[in-house]
Amino acid sequence: MSRAVCPGSFDPVTHGHLDIVNRSAALFDYVVVAVGTNMSKNALFTPDERVEMLNEACAELDGVTVTTFSGLLVDFCAQVEADAIVKGLRFVSDFDYELQMAQMNSQLSGVDTLFLPTAAQWSYVSSSLVREVALLGGDVDQFLPEGIAERTIARAHERAGRAAPGEQKE
């Protein structure tokens, strides 16, 4: 049985992330979506909240599970007996960074990394950019699944001290 790990922060999970997970699920028997727990000070959601959102977004995908991990990705891959790491690439600059990580991971553990180009329609979308747009009051609905968009907008309004859409600030 072939197994792959799709690691990331997923803060929040975008349509681009889900494109990579869906395509990975078509290539491997079993896919573990691994949410990193190294908290960024700019994170909108806790790792557990991200797992919950990913579980909702991936509910219809056979052979896909979602969990958190901390520490070295290669140690996590060994723990779940993964054959490969799958990473989405948006731009050449992503490749420069990801290639170094892939080579280090291979040297440390022998696990290979498979790079999938992000679908062109999502190539400019990143979680950090979506967070920034949401925090500045912009519309992020087109970049995120519906329920995740609602949660992201509500959390961004909460962080910015604004009432969420449809609510009144006290």
Side-chain angles (χ1 to χ4, degrees):
M1 176 179 284
S2 61
R3 294 178 187 232
V5 171
C6 289
S9 62
F10 306 103
D11 185 43
V13 60
T14 69
H15 288 303
H17 290 132
L18 295 175
D19 172 59
I20 298 299
V21 172
N22 273 290
R23 290 164 53 206
S24 297
L27 295 170
F28 293 90
D29 298 318
Y30 186 71
V31 175
V32 180
V33 180
V35 177
T37 60
N38 299 332
M39 288 297 293
S40 158
K41 57 184 166 197
N42 296 326
L44 276 182
F45 298 103
T46 67
D48 289 340
E49 289 172 322
R50 289 181 252 160
V51 166
E52 183 180 311
M53 288 185 283
L54 278 158
N55 275 324
E56 290 169 16
C58 297
E60 311 250 335
L61 294 175
D62 290 333
V64 174
T65 60
V66 183
T67 190
T68 59
F69 82 97
S70 61
L72 289 175
L73 178 58
V74 292
D75 292 341
F76 178 76
C77 289
Q79 178 186 336
V80 298
E81 300 177 349
D83 303 301
I85 298 165
V86 178
K87 295 292 219 82
L89 297 178
R90 295 171 297 162
F91 301 108
V92 172
S93 58
D94 287 349
F95 180 75
D96 290 341
Y97 175 73
E98 295 293 348
L99 179 61
Q100 286 180 316
M101 279 210 302
Q103 290 171 330
M104 179 63 78
N105 288 338
S106 179
Q107 184 65 34
L108 289 172
S109 69
V111 68
D112 282 323
T113 300
L114 174 68
F115 296 124
L116 291 178
T118 301
Q121 71 193 70
W122 307 120
S123 65
Y124 63 94
V125 177
S126 68
S127 290
S128 57
L129 190 54
V130 168
R131 280 194 312 273
E132 184 175 344
V133 169
L135 287 166
L136 293 172
D139 181 6
V140 296
D141 288 345
Q142 62 189 313
F143 311 118
L144 309 171
E146 185 177 336
I148 294 167
E150 292 168 5
R151 289 173 78 166
T152 301
I153 292 165
R155 180 65 52 89
H157 279 82
E158 177 186 306
R159 288 273 172 88
R162 296 186 304 267
E167 295 179 358
Q168 290 196 347
K169 181 116 168 96
E170 295 180 12

